[in-house]
Amino acid sequence: MLTPQQLLYPFTLPLRLVPSVMHSRALAAILNQVMKDAILEGDLDFLQGRQVAIEIDDLGVRYLLGLTNGRIQGHGNEAPADATIAGGVREFLLLAARREDADTLFFQRRLRMSGDTELGLYLKNFFDAFEPPARWLPLTQALERVASLRFPGAK
């Protein structure tokens, strides 16, 4: 039976071919829209001048994000991260779809944190408190459907 990594590997080819800075910038552009109100209210000020890496193990991709002048910025992987959050794509989907809270995912070691743990905890607490605006409900529902998919051998 195929593992989730084996099933997903062919679909990750475009991500692996595109320079990391490009998909980090694409993710930053999406997050700037989804989190626009939170950014304006200063909820992400703790990220100012800092960089957080998001590593999706089973896809083999790493996003590097930070906050500069009130905007989430995507960076290339040559820059060091102050904190790193790592896990599988399903765990990040569960978190984004709000089907699992960050505490549960970290406690079960399905998500891992390294580096500046204080920064990581601020980020975890932000995720716990963040409610996407209603206009993003279709995206949240789509994430919910994808997060519901079960792969053979998945947790």
Side-chain angles (χ1 to χ4, degrees):
M1 187 166 289
L2 293 175
T3 66
Q5 292 85 354
Q6 291 168 321
L7 287 170
L8 292 171
Y9 190 79
F11 300 106
T12 64
L13 181 61
L15 287 176
R16 289 179 280 119
L17 291 176
V18 174
S20 63
V21 68
M22 298 300 287
H23 44 91
S24 288
R25 287 180 180 165
L27 179 59
I30 294 166
L31 293 175
N32 276 310
Q33 291 302 308
V34 173
M35 299 178 175
K36 183 178 183 177
D37 295 338
I39 294 168
L40 289 173
E41 292 170 10
D43 294 346
L44 286 170
D45 285 354
F46 64 88
L47 270 178
Q48 185 66 37
R50 313 291 303 277
Q51 294 182 352
V52 174
I54 299 170
E55 296 178 354
I56 305 177
D57 302 333
D58 46 5
L59 297 184
V61 295
R62 179 178 188 258
Y63 299 96
L64 190 62
L65 304 169
L67 188 72
T68 306
N69 298 322
R71 297 216 23 101
I72 298 172
Q73 303 289 323
H75 303 281
N77 284 331
E78 67 280 350
D82 295 298
T84 300
I85 297 175
V89 67
R90 186 160 191 277
E91 284 66 37
F92 284 106
L93 285 170
L94 289 169
L95 184 64
R98 308 198 52 80
R99 287 197 48 213
E100 295 264 0
D101 64 86
D103 284 330
T104 300
L105 294 169
F106 282 108
F107 181 72
Q108 294 176 350
R109 297 181 190 253
R110 293 165 57 196
L111 287 180
R112 300 169 313 281
M113 189 182 318
S114 61
D116 183 339
T117 54
E118 182 178 6
L119 177 60
L121 287 172
Y122 276 121
L123 191 58
K124 182 203 74 66
N125 291 337
F126 170 78
F127 286 140
D128 285 341
F130 180 71
E131 287 291 333
R135 68 183 178 275
W136 292 99
L137 184 60
L139 175 62
T140 305
Q141 291 171 333
L143 290 170
E144 169 74 29
R145 285 190 295 276
V146 174
S148 296
L149 295 176
R150 298 297 285 165
F151 294 105
K155 294 178 186 175

